[in-house]
Amino acid sequence: MAGSSSITGTDWIAVDWGTSSLRVWALGRDGDVLAKAVSQEGMGGLAPADYEPVLMAHIRTWLPETAVRSVPVIVCGMAGAKQGWKEAAYRVAPCAAVPEGEMIRVPTRDARLSVHILPGVCQLDPADVMRGEETQLAGLAANLGPLDATVCLPGTHSKWVRLEGGRIAGFRTFMTGELFSVIAGHSILRHSIAPEGENAAAFAKAVEDMLADPAGLTGALFAIRASGLVGRSDGAAARSRLSGLLIGAELAATRPQWDAKPVHIVGSGSLIDAYATALKTAGARPVRQDAEALTLAGLKQARAAMLEIQS
Amino acid sequence: MAGSSSITGTDWIAVDWGTSSLRVWALGRDGDVLAKAVSQEGMGGLAPADYEPVLMAHIRTWLPETAVRSVPVIVCGMAGAKQGWKEAAYRVAPCAAVPEGEMIRVPTRDARLSVHILPGVCQLDPADVMRGEETQLAGLAANLGPLDATVCLPGTHSKWVRLEGGRIAGFRTFMTGELFSVIAGHSILRHSIAPEGENAAAFAKAVEDMLADPAGLTGALFAIRASGLVGRSDGAAARSRLSGLLIGAELAATRPQWDAKPVHIVGSGSLIDAYATALKTAGARPVRQDAEALTLAGLKQARAAMLEIQS
């Protein structure tokens, strides 16, 4: 999926560099997407010296042949983590969704690049961190205007964010996706859970059970195993029940944020479907937001802020 | 630790065969312990054909030299699981703590052995299972008499049991110990959690946090990681906090069972200490019970029931 076709008129380049994936866009002066590349070369598999050559392999044909000018490259996500390309220290919430000049400059060997990494956002009490989601929030805030809103960003580490007047007022991260992986893969439940398959009724029942008994998670997990041992074994239902219990636990903990309010869910694919279903089961009003579109919109906000500072 | 010294007068042999350990006692006619052996040859590492030779290596010198009579061997624990020596189907709760004749006979090559495995106990709704704990409960019920009591059996899969009139009225299992292992070993928290060390204040605070916000577990877990990233990193405190959150979640779910009531905690070592501390932090009244002593007492109850049936 590399952007191998040669293009002209690249004004700047937007990059979303996550733990397990990389997305790159070439943008024209009017903000139109001229080319796009996607790969699995995420931060998790890279050493600091790898970033520039990996990036160049995707964008070489998007750049002018000589360094008559450097092309701005704006990067969000885990490339700015301590173990990433270069550490971009956190901004501290409450803060604006879009950084205003806090990007860090990364030196490159190729003089045609002018790479800037966006900082993540941290919260001191309770301690919490995000890298990448703040850029999606900047895109959402640009779309919604300076409103108050509840935002859910499902994933390995699901985040619930309060936007107030378009700013990040506070947030909380849940280990939902990662707990699913380690419990399904490494605990005794691995014997009970099918590698794939779904059971919508089992999912909805699990969400309801957690909303009714929020303290019951670690007991409900063992019951998945026990159900199999006393004769009611269904690997797909067990898989959906584990998912429903963990997402239900997240909803039980965030009830004041979604009760009788719209929730913007930022995601894609089956994960956003699962959260939308869970929220509807709980009686909430999910509003789907496309994660990739918001990331690009947020990177454009950062580009605009950069131009404003330079002018 | 094998019982290699030759003894005479073995009336019967008691065996506690768990997932990761094996305990064997030679008992005289008066119930006195003549010899004892302990090993790590748990059910987890054995095939069905391994059980008799493993057992014989420990008890050979406890047996008469010729098969003038067979020596009863009474086994509790995971040796009776489907993957064990021979499956001993579950009794269904509510039920007596001591089985009354439901033991299964296991054929042996050595005619001097008369091996019986005690069944586990299951509960149909909500689904749950135990194997081995029912024997400790039989020992406890024999000591306490036919009373009502709340019993907590901490471990990989912690169990909370209601005894009513000395019978197993109902129970609930929590994946507490196993979740500690998979989260500390396989999730992103492995970067935050020291392999050992304790922090009593962090443990108590975590228990209190879960009692105050029972739905907050999966969010509180990620905060352990985030605390390290925003500069407050202490691997021993993180370890104690993870333990306190998981035990606190168990207490939050079982509050009606321990609130203003004594709780018999069956265990040993640092685990029983942690639960006793957590229960005191929560304002409950823990009563310590030695797990090994109760197991042996429960096996003696089973032996007595067997003699009653035979007479």
Side-chain angles (χ1 to χ4, degrees):
Chain A
M1 305 237 352
S4 53
S5 61
S6 182
I7 59 168
T8 58
T10 303
D11 186 50
W12 64 287
I13 290 169
V15 181
D16 175 19
W17 215 318
T19 301
S20 57
S21 68
L22 166 65
R23 281 194 178 78
V24 196
W25 298 266
L27 291 137
R29 191 163 295 266
D30 300 330
D32 44 325
V33 174
L34 306 176
K36 179 185 160 188
V38 178
S39 93
Q40 302 305 311
E41 293 151 306
M43 167 274 221
L46 300 178
D50 299 333
Y51 284 81
E52 185 176 342
V54 165
L55 182 64
M56 283 302 292
H58 292 288
I59 68 171
R60 184 166 285 115
T61 59
W62 303 353
L63 298 173
E65 289 197 8
T66 56
V68 286
R69 69 171 184 97
S70 64
V71 174
V73 178
I74 302 181
V75 182
C76 72
M78 292 300 285
K82 192 174 287 193
Q83 312 88 327
W85 192 349
K86 185 174 176 183
E87 185 174 9
Y90 298 106
R91 295 184 298 131
V92 181
C95 61
V98 186
E100 291 152 357
E102 297 96 334
M103 293 178 255
I104 64 143
R105 181 74 195 270
V106 186
T108 52
R109 300 176 66 167
D110 194 308
R112 293 173 296 176
L113 302 178
S114 170
V115 174
H116 296 76
I117 301 183
L118 297 177
V121 172
C122 73
Q123 179 178 270
L124 298 181
D125 190 18
D128 217 325
V129 293
M130 63 170 70
R131 275 199 192 277
E133 292 90 349
E134 75 294 331
T135 302
Q136 297 176 330
L137 294 166
L140 182 64
N143 293 352
L144 297 177
L147 301 177
D148 296 355
T150 294
V151 189
C152 169
L153 305 104
T156 304
H157 300 145
S158 287
K159 296 188 190 291
W160 283 74
V161 183
R162 279 181 299 112
L163 291 182
E164 289 179 11
R167 293 167 53 86
I168 299 172
F171 62 103
R172 190 167 174 199
T173 304
F174 296 83
M175 256 175 60
T176 306
E178 182 162 21
L179 284 173
F180 184 92
S181 298
V182 299
I183 292 169
H186 295 284
S187 84
I188 196 164
L189 294 193
R190 69 188 184 279
H191 302 302
S192 305
I193 289 173
E196 50 192 34
E198 277 181 37
N199 181 314
F203 179 83
K205 175 70 164 58
V207 171
E208 286 163 2
D209 285 353
M210 286 313 301
L211 290 170
D213 178 19
L217 179 63
T218 67
L221 292 175
F222 187 78
I224 293 176
R225 171 67 176 160
S227 292
L229 292 176
V230 302
R232 284 169 288 165
S233 185
D234 174 341
R239 184 176 185 81
S240 288
R241 182 157 177 85
L242 175 60
S243 173
L245 289 174
L246 290 168
I247 293 174
E250 200 180 312
L251 295 192
T254 54
R255 186 187 287 271
Q257 291 187 63
W258 53 257
D259 217 8
K261 295 185 194 115
V263 178
H264 299 274
I265 322 179
V266 179
S268 61
S270 61
L271 193 59
I272 196 170
D273 290 342
Y275 273 76
T277 301
L279 279 162
K280 279 184 204 157
T281 300
R285 308 206 305 272
V287 182
R288 287 161 186 260
Q289 300 282 356
D290 182 73
E292 184 175 330
L294 290 191
T295 300
L296 185 56
L299 286 163
K300 287 180 180 178
Q301 290 291 311
R303 170 65 178 152
M306 179 190 266
L307 287 173
E308 200 155 304
I309 288 164
Q310 287 168 353
S311 68
Chain B
M1 305 245 342
S4 52
S5 60
S6 181
I7 59 169
T8 57
T10 303
D11 186 52
W12 63 287
I13 291 170
V15 181
D16 175 19
W17 214 320
T19 301
S20 56
S21 68
L22 167 64
R23 282 194 178 76
V24 195
W25 298 265
L27 290 138
R29 191 164 295 267
D30 300 330
D32 44 326
V33 174
L34 306 177
K36 179 185 159 187
V38 178
S39 92
Q40 302 305 310
E41 293 151 306
M43 167 272 219
L46 300 179
D50 300 332
Y51 284 81
E52 185 177 343
V54 165
L55 181 64
M56 283 302 291
H58 292 289
I59 68 172
R60 184 165 285 115
T61 58
W62 303 352
L63 299 173
E65 289 196 9
T66 56
V68 286
R69 69 171 183 99
S70 65
V71 175
V73 177
I74 302 182
V75 182
C76 71
M78 294 299 286
K82 192 173 288 192
Q83 312 90 324
W85 190 349
K86 186 174 177 185
E87 186 174 9
Y90 297 105
R91 296 185 296 132
V92 182
C95 62
V98 185
E100 291 152 358
E102 298 97 333
M103 292 178 254
I104 64 142
R105 181 72 195 268
V106 186
T108 52
R109 301 175 66 169
D110 194 308
R112 292 172 296 176
L113 302 179
S114 170
V115 174
H116 297 76
I117 301 183
L118 296 177
V121 172
C122 73
Q123 179 177 272
L124 298 180
D125 191 19
D128 217 323
V129 293
M130 64 170 71
R131 273 198 194 278
E133 293 91 348
E134 75 294 332
T135 302
Q136 297 175 330
L137 294 166
L140 182 63
N143 292 350
L144 296 177
L147 302 177
D148 294 357
T150 294
V151 189
C152 169
L153 305 103
T156 303
H157 300 147
S158 286
K159 298 189 187 292
W160 283 75
V161 184
R162 278 180 299 111
L163 290 182
E164 289 179 10
R167 291 169 54 86
I168 299 172
F171 63 103
R172 190 166 174 201
T173 303
F174 297 83
M175 254 174 63
T176 306
E178 182 161 23
L179 285 172
F180 184 92
S181 297
V182 299
I183 292 169
H186 295 285
S187 84
I188 195 165
L189 294 194
R190 69 188 184 278
H191 302 302
S192 306
I193 288 173
E196 52 192 35
E198 277 182 37
N199 181 315
F203 179 83
K205 175 72 165 56
V207 171
E208 286 164 3
D209 286 353
M210 286 313 301
L211 290 171
D213 179 19
L217 179 64
T218 67
L221 292 176
F222 186 79
I224 293 175
R225 171 67 175 158
S227 291
L229 292 175
V230 302
R232 282 170 288 166
S233 184
D234 174 340
R239 184 175 185 82
S240 288
R241 182 157 176 86
L242 175 59
S243 172
L245 290 173
L246 291 167
I247 294 174
E250 200 180 313
L251 295 192
T254 54
R255 187 187 286 272
Q257 290 187 62
W258 54 256
D259 219 5
K261 293 183 198 117
V263 179
H264 297 274
I265 322 177
V266 179
S268 62
S270 61
L271 193 59
I272 196 171
D273 290 342
Y275 274 75
T277 301
L279 279 162
K280 279 185 206 159
T281 300
R285 305 204 309 270
V287 181
R288 288 161 186 259
Q289 300 282 356
D290 181 72
E292 184 176 330
L294 290 191
T295 300
L296 185 55
L299 286 163
K300 287 180 181 179
Q301 291 292 310
R303 171 64 179 155
M306 178 189 266
L307 286 174
E308 199 155 306
I309 289 164
Q310 287 169 352
S311 68

